[in-house]
Amino acid sequence: MKQFNVPIIYRSPLISAIKQRRKQQDKMKKDFTPTLLNLGGLHIYLARHFGFCYGVENAIEIAFRTVDENPGKRIFLLSEMIHNPHVNEDLQERGVRFLQDTHGKQILPFESLTADDIVITPAFGTTLHIEKKLNDIGLETKRFNTTCPFVEKVWNRSEQIARRGYSIVIHGKPRHEETRATFSHSAVNAPAVVVNDIKEAIELGKYITGEKNAAQFAQEFEGRFSEGFDPVNDLQRIGVVNQTTMLASDTQAIADHLKQVMIQRYGLTEDNATERFADTRDTLCYATNDNQSAVSGMLGTDADIALVIGGYNSSNTSHLVELCEEKLPTYFISSESKIQSKEQILHYNFHTKEEVLTTGFLPKHNPAKLLITSGASCPDALVENVIRKIASFYNAEDKIEVLIKEWTSASSLSAQ
């Protein structure tokens, strides 16, 4: 896979050494057991897969290279590059300005742009409407487009099944940039509707069976269906695609449910269900799959708590938190600064959208056992910072340096 030129400030000697060694030991990525960092009175178990993915590294490389190669030019981002505050703040410090916030609210008017400016499309992609606006101004949208290839894969899948006469059901968070972009690219080719979760998918199924009437649909899915969408006609043949960072199990549950609704409604079998339900296969990106599988593998470990590191508005990170919460007390933090002391941690409750201060979060027994992972937009450097801060409470900083040497040496010997 391509290697990207990501700023060294996001790299971590510790994490790089660990990831390189695990890659050598498990080239097919089938082993989802975590990596143990034995720091004496502190045992940290790192997920097999976490941190920057292909799409994020691609976006960061393009954005920072664009800044470096265009001194004196006005450079804008359509919205947040990725859902990590540290990366976005770094870009802003280099003079990059945002045109919209993460929800699509305008910060700077498009009318203030000129053809001499540079506008970078973030990894989430953008809508066809916005793309046309930028092109009409005369901006080079393709040259500075950092849309993740796996997001574009979903758009292509939607177009393929639309050509075969299927309407598109998108599993995603309606206000998320990627979902808005995917909806735009889907709706231009076929009727499209967004469902947030299995509950909404179940309600959508009732329009297929006729349990609910079309008048209810407009109110229930307001703002989340394409113009002229007719639930009576447009739900007769459907396919499910998704925002690439959703929980794989949730997307599968939605697809399975709607497929069974179609089978029962039209008297089909599993063999001929494609007459009404398109075989879209899984449209999650590889990194989302790997990170979620790695968390599942990590949760088989006897541990006391879990720490998940990433941006609070990061969809893929919040789903890792969800998985951890099913098994352990879980603390969602954006950086090591949220760990205020050995006793106190300021962490984010993504259910209530607020930070919470918890006292006595670290276990008192010896050794304390922690699980750690991070989202696909979280720099490895942040993960190492968190590890070092916790290690400092156990006077184990020196042990980290020993581990770096051991892992680096093992990787070098294996490569020879």
Side-chain angles (χ1 to χ4, degrees):
M1 186 172 285
K2 179 181 176 181
Q3 297 295 309
F4 294 98
N5 182 23
V6 172
I8 195 169
I9 57 172
Y10 301 140
R11 299 297 189 188
S12 153
L14 173 65
I15 304 303
S16 294
I18 291 172
K19 286 185 175 180
Q20 181 60 28
R21 184 59 178 151
R22 289 300 302 263
K23 184 178 179 181
Q24 291 171 344
Q25 295 173 329
D26 177 32
K27 293 181 180 179
M28 300 304 292
K29 300 197 299 186
K30 298 295 184 183
D31 181 5
F32 291 109
T33 57
T35 302
L36 170 62
L37 277 62
N38 187 337
L39 302 176
L42 173 66
H43 287 184
I44 291 177
Y45 294 86
L46 274 178
R48 169 67 176 93
H49 301 287
F50 61 90
F52 280 175
C53 63
Y54 180 99
V56 166
E57 291 201 345
N58 176 61
I60 289 175
E61 181 184 86
I62 292 173
F64 280 86
R65 186 179 68 230
T66 298
V67 172
D68 291 340
E69 293 178 352
N70 295 276
K73 279 246 185 185
R74 296 201 309 169
I75 301 175
F76 301 88
L77 263 165
L78 272 179
S79 62
E80 293 186 1
M81 166 57 62
I82 55 175
H83 284 159
N84 185 274
H86 302 279
V87 176
N88 290 313
E89 286 166 10
D90 286 342
L91 286 167
Q92 287 177 308
E93 286 176 3
R94 285 163 171 76
V96 177
R97 287 181 285 173
F98 292 171
L99 293 171
Q100 297 177 321
D101 69 11
T102 191
H103 300 300
K105 181 180 178 182
Q106 208 71 28
I107 299 173
L108 298 171
F110 287 126
E111 290 73 21
S112 65
L113 300 173
T114 72
D116 293 326
D117 295 327
I118 293 173
V119 175
I120 303 172
T121 302
F124 313 108
T126 191
T127 66
L128 292 170
H129 173 69
I130 290 176
E131 193 175 296
K132 183 179 184 304
K133 271 192 169 186
L134 298 178
N135 286 331
D136 288 346
I137 294 169
L139 292 158
E140 296 182 74
T141 53
K142 289 185 179 180
R143 183 180 171 190
F144 303 105
N145 182 5
T146 77
T147 303
C148 174
F150 293 95
V151 173
E152 292 180 333
K153 175 184 173 184
V154 176
W155 299 350
N156 293 335
R157 186 72 56 77
S158 298
E159 184 178 350
Q160 289 166 7
I161 63 175
R163 286 200 205 107
R164 298 182 355 239
Y166 294 94
S167 297
I168 314 297
V169 177
I170 303 162
H171 173 214
K173 298 175 181 178
R175 298 183 67 192
H176 193 283
E177 296 103 313
E178 183 187 326
T179 299
R180 297 199 307 266
T182 295
F183 176 80
S184 172
H185 284 259
S186 299
V188 74
N189 296 306
V193 60
V194 176
V195 295
N196 186 56
D197 50 33
I198 185 63
K199 291 180 181 179
E200 291 189 355
I202 290 170
E203 296 309 308
L204 186 71
K206 293 177 182 179
Y207 293 99
I208 297 172
T209 61
E211 295 174 67
K212 288 189 169 183
N213 60 52
Q216 293 172 280
F217 178 85
Q219 182 176 358
E220 188 168 4
F221 290 92
E222 182 180 3
R224 288 188 281 150
F225 57 87
S226 54
E227 186 176 354
F229 193 101
D230 179 358
V232 175
N233 295 317
D234 295 334
L235 291 176
Q236 293 184 19
R237 301 182 83 233
I238 61 173
V240 176
V241 299
N242 56 6
Q243 178 187 323
T244 59
T245 54
M246 302 301 279
L247 271 176
S249 56
D250 287 355
T251 298
Q252 191 60 56
I254 288 169
D256 289 345
H257 174 75
L258 291 176
K259 182 179 180 180
Q260 288 305 311
V261 170
M262 284 297 192
I263 288 173
Q264 293 171 16
R265 169 68 176 82
Y266 293 101
L268 305 172
T269 65
E270 289 287 342
D271 292 335
N272 65 1
T274 53
E275 293 178 12
R276 298 284 178 174
F277 189 84
D279 180 12
T280 56
R281 302 189 300 277
D282 188 17
T283 50
L284 284 173
C285 77
Y286 82 94
T288 298
N289 271 320
D290 286 349
N291 290 354
Q292 291 176 9
S293 297
V295 165
S296 297
M298 182 176 71
L299 290 172
T301 304
D302 178 27
D304 302 302
I305 66 170
L307 290 174
V308 182
I309 309 158
Y312 293 159
N313 61 342
S314 167
S315 174
N316 77 86
T317 310
S318 67
H319 290 309
L320 300 181
V321 175
E322 272 187 276
L323 291 172
C324 291
E325 284 179 339
E326 293 176 5
K327 181 78 180 288
L328 292 168
T330 300
Y331 302 97
F332 183 6
I333 59 175
S334 58
S335 72
E336 76 281 0
S337 66
K338 301 299 179 179
I339 304 172
Q340 299 186 346
S341 68
K342 188 175 182 178
E343 288 299 318
Q344 291 189 318
I345 186 170
L346 186 64
H347 58 103
Y348 186 67
N349 183 329
F350 77 93
H351 304 287
T352 61
K353 312 299 182 190
E354 60 184 358
E355 284 190 316
V356 179
L357 184 65
T358 295
T359 300
F361 74 104
L362 285 173
K364 304 299 182 185
H365 53 264
N366 187 339
K369 297 179 180 180
L370 281 63
L371 307 182
I372 292 182
T373 189
S374 70
S377 53
C378 179
D380 284 348
L382 286 181
V383 178
E384 179 171 335
N385 290 346
V386 168
I387 292 171
R388 286 184 177 278
K389 186 152 192 180
I390 295 173
S392 71
F393 301 145
Y394 296 83
N395 298 315
E397 302 100 307
D398 292 346
K399 291 184 173 66
I400 291 178
E401 304 308 323
V402 173
L403 285 176
I404 293 175
K405 290 178 182 178
E406 287 178 356
W407 283 91
T408 303
S409 176
S411 296
S412 298
L413 288 172
S414 179
Q416 291 176 2

